[in-house]
Amino acid sequence: MDPLLTALLILSALLILTTLLPWILAFTRKPGPAREELVSVLRCSKCGYEEIRKYNKGDYVGRPVGSCPRDGSRMVIKAIYVETLPQG
Amino acid sequence: MEGVDNIVSYLIVLLFLASFIMNFTDIPQRIQLQRYSSFVRRRLYQLEELEVDARRKAVSYMSSLGVSEPAKVLEGFVNNFFLIRPVELEPIDIIRRYKHLIRTRESSVRDYIRTVLGKVERSIQYSVETVLEVVSVIRLINKLVRHYLELGLKYNNWILVMQLAIQMPEIVELTKAYANSLNAFTSGIPIGDSVGPLVAKMLSKWGEPLREVVEGTDLYEVEIEGRRVYIIKASGPGSNVGWPGEALEKVIEEVGGSVDRIITVDAALKLESEESGEVAYGTGAAIGDIGPEKIAIERVASKYSIPLDAVVVKMSEMEALSPLSKKLYEAAVKAYEEVLRVIRDKVREGNRVVVVGVGNTVGVR
């Protein structure tokens, strides 16, 4: 085959490959969705004892929830947030 | 060898033709117009899916509250309740006119929702209002994208379609953020924008408000290391931003302007080069308001020469509308510590300071 034609064909193939390479890489490297969990942080209004538990429907920051296991005082929800857990 | 020579000659002719077509005709632009419009159409399907999903969530939320014919209620809201901006050419009393129009619109929206819901808790009423507003925004985005696509195709305006295509990923992300926020609003979970009210709640030691200072805005009063601290935030835990400017004005007037400092805390949109959850301290009113609330804060601060500080938590638009992440919660704790530092360093013992927690108080009582 003519060397000029061979060079042209190789050049074309290289051009197509370099155009498509970033797309292929981005597609194959896409990370899977992270595991997320919504949690409520409970805090004793007297001794400051804290506890993290799963979010329950109806929870809101400032909601009184039960009593402290340490001193029996009122526990209040001090925060609600989404925790991202490692895959697995 | 002759065959190869022929191929090379054909290739040269082909290159010449291709170069002519590329440089002296509109064919490449037409091809690009088709490519970009098909790209926009694919994203538009995504937007439509998000709208259908948002409508479904809104209808199911209203059904759970006992609303009869929720689909009709939604339909009655999404294309109505627009706000025509006041004349800006004449700036005199523009804030008063803005405030009047905003309040009038809000009162019409609340009347509509009250009629539909009947007697329910105010926090639920606020949440329904936000859910309807979110669906309305998603509908508007969809309509605007379709409008520009059809306009571009109608007049073969390939630049318009290309611009739209380039902006589509950002538009889809924003719409996704709005659609995701519905989960938070219907379940009452704090979102990124709730950091301001969350910091206010931390300062109040998760206590109960002293009183409602203006409609939908609460006042707390605590003592921190010998300083009297007034805390203003929207009434929760429903989705509500309250009227922080008007509330601040009222509180400051009540104490005759005898306040050492005003501190506003809010979420701020980060630049792409910035980290989410960065806490920054500055001067001015940290509030993303159209005008009336922000100017109320600035006016009362300047009337009594009260220094005005701002503490902001940086986040993206997506994060501001999504359920609060642990990273942003930790940033809220940092912002709380920053507010404490300002109170300790800049307010004398025995004096007064007002802290305003600006933002949507969904999920924060």
Side-chain angles (χ1 to χ4, degrees), chain B residues 73-332:
Chain B
V73 171
L74 183 67
E75 220 42 62
F77 187 87
V78 284
N79 288 322
N80 297 308
F81 299 104
F82 55 82
L83 177 81
I84 300 169
R85 283 169 171 262
V87 179
E88 288 175 357
L89 193 66
E90 167 60 278
I92 295 169
D93 76 355
I94 190 162
I95 290 298
R96 202 151 51 87
R97 285 182 278 135
Y98 250 123
K99 191 172 171 178
H100 174 66
L101 292 177
I102 292 168
R103 301 275 166 130
T104 308
R105 181 189 179 269
E106 190 177 286
S107 139
S108 326
V109 169
R110 293 214 163 137
D111 284 346
Y112 178 75
I113 289 163
R114 243 176 256 136
T115 319
V116 167
L117 286 178
K119 268 207 160 185
V120 289
E121 242 179 86
R122 211 166 55 175
S123 64
I124 292 176
Q125 189 188 311
Y126 288 160
S127 293
V128 172
E129 191 183 314
T130 311
V131 166
L132 292 177
E133 295 275 14
V134 168
V135 179
S136 203
V137 168
I138 296 174
R139 174 83 207 112
L140 180 68
I141 294 174
N142 255 334
K143 279 204 285 191
L144 280 174
V145 170
R146 189 167 285 281
H147 165 74
Y148 285 116
L149 175 67
E150 285 176 10
L151 202 67
L153 291 175
K154 189 174 175 183
Y155 297 108
N156 275 326
N157 187 342
W158 60 274
I159 293 176
L160 185 68
V161 179
M162 190 201 269
Q163 276 180 323
L164 188 62
I166 290 165
Q167 284 180 344
M168 276 320 276
E170 213 178 316
I171 295 172
V172 172
E173 278 296 294
L174 181 69
T175 316
K176 271 187 192 166
Y178 273 111
N180 284 342
S181 75
L182 282 175
N183 292 333
F185 291 131
T186 53
S187 320
I189 301 163
I191 55 172
D193 189 41
S194 308
V195 286
L198 191 61
V199 170
K201 201 71 193 173
M202 286 177 195
L203 286 165
S204 77
K205 299 181 175 79
W206 300 276
E208 288 299 305
L210 185 69
R211 64 188 157 97
E212 189 178 54
V213 63
V214 293
E215 199 203 330
T217 315
D218 290 337
L219 174 71
Y220 297 74
E221 202 181 320
V222 290
E223 203 173 295
I224 296 175
E225 297 178 31
R227 285 91 170 163
R228 182 129 304 273
V229 184
Y230 296 96
I231 303 153
I232 293 168
K233 72 173 273 297
S235 318
S239 166
N240 174 31
V241 290
W243 304 108
E246 194 182 329
L248 178 76
E249 224 169 17
K250 209 169 166 187
V251 170
I252 303 249
E253 290 296 349
E254 277 173 9
V255 294
S258 155
V259 169
D260 263 20
R261 226 161 180 93
I262 298 167
I263 308 167
T264 50
V265 189
D266 195 9
L269 280 185
K270 72 176 183 88
L271 300 174
E272 277 305 308
S273 53
E274 286 177 316
E275 268 288 308
S276 282
E278 257 182 44
V279 176
Y281 166 75
T283 304
I287 175 168
D289 169 59
I290 198 165
E293 296 307 303
K294 191 171 183 174
I295 209 164
I297 298 175
E298 290 168 353
R299 276 190 179 143
V300 77
S302 56
K303 182 179 174 188
Y304 293 103
S305 302
I306 306 166
L308 184 55
D309 293 322
V311 174
V312 295
V313 177
K314 309 263 180 85
M315 63 186 76
S316 67
E317 203 152 10
M318 185 87 170
E319 288 168 316
L321 288 165
S322 304
L324 189 76
S325 63
K326 190 177 183 187
K327 194 177 185 184
L328 289 181
Y329 167 68
E330 285 164 353

